[in-house]
Amino acid sequence: MPIDRKKLAVIHIVKKELGLSDEDYRDILERETGVRSAKDLDPQSFQRLMRYFTRSGYYRINQYGLTFRQKAYINHLAAELGWEEQHLNNFIAKYFKKPAVTQLNKKEASKVIEALKSIHQRTVSS
């Protein structure tokens, strides 16, 4: 069974955030999962790919403790809400007194994630 759209979106967010060229991205996909397109991933190979990114040198933590996974998840949630980068940065500046996602520490990022999930839940149930 192929993976759902949300997981495909996460993969493409990771690709963009890491600044991977299309060829490098497809080479990693093939090496780690045996396929050249994320559309061909099954749930197990999706997990394998995500583990690769989090365990490899691609796993990044900023000087404030923000993890790459937190940053990617925040961007994914913002995309689900239809927010552009500036909208997300304005939200973070207003409620967390930081100019951008990259300036958050690990604890603040967790709070942003919970806030975005709450906003998403309210918009879905309205």
Side-chain angles (χ1 to χ4, degrees):
M1 177 163 84
I3 61 173
D4 61 45
R5 287 188 349 236
K6 290 180 182 180
K7 289 181 180 175
L8 280 174
V10 169
I11 291 169
H12 289 285
I13 289 167
V14 169
K15 176 189 174 215
K16 181 180 175 188
E17 289 294 319
L18 294 176
L20 294 173
S21 70
D22 194 54
E23 186 171 334
D24 288 342
Y25 160 71
R26 293 192 186 284
D27 288 345
I28 290 168
L29 264 175
E30 186 169 28
R31 184 177 61 244
E32 297 302 316
T33 66
V35 299
R36 295 224 20 112
S37 172
K39 291 178 185 175
D40 298 328
L41 293 173
D42 59 28
Q44 293 79 20
S45 55
F46 170 79
Q47 290 299 322
R48 217 173 18 252
L49 180 64
M50 290 297 106
R51 272 195 304 275
Y52 169 79
F53 284 130
T54 59
R55 291 184 179 155
S56 73
Y58 291 115
Y59 186 70
R60 302 195 183 164
I61 300 175
N62 72 7
Q63 64 187 6
Y64 310 109
L66 174 73
T67 66
F68 177 77
R69 289 177 75 173
Q70 285 177 312
K71 182 180 176 188
Y73 193 45
I74 288 169
N75 288 330
H76 170 71
L77 290 169
E80 280 192 341
L81 290 167
W83 292 7
E84 302 214 359
E85 184 178 358
Q86 189 58 49
H87 187 133
L88 176 62
N89 288 338
N90 290 343
F91 174 80
I92 291 169
K94 181 175 181 178
Y95 295 105
F96 297 91
K97 310 300 185 228
K98 300 289 172 97
V101 173
T102 56
Q103 302 300 306
L104 297 169
N105 64 38
K106 189 172 187 166
K107 188 174 184 177
E108 292 165 336
S110 292
K111 290 180 179 180
V112 169
I113 288 168
E114 291 308 313
L116 293 174
K117 284 169 42 178
S118 177
I119 292 167
H120 185 268
Q121 185 69 9
R122 284 192 309 241
T123 60
V124 169
S125 62
S126 308

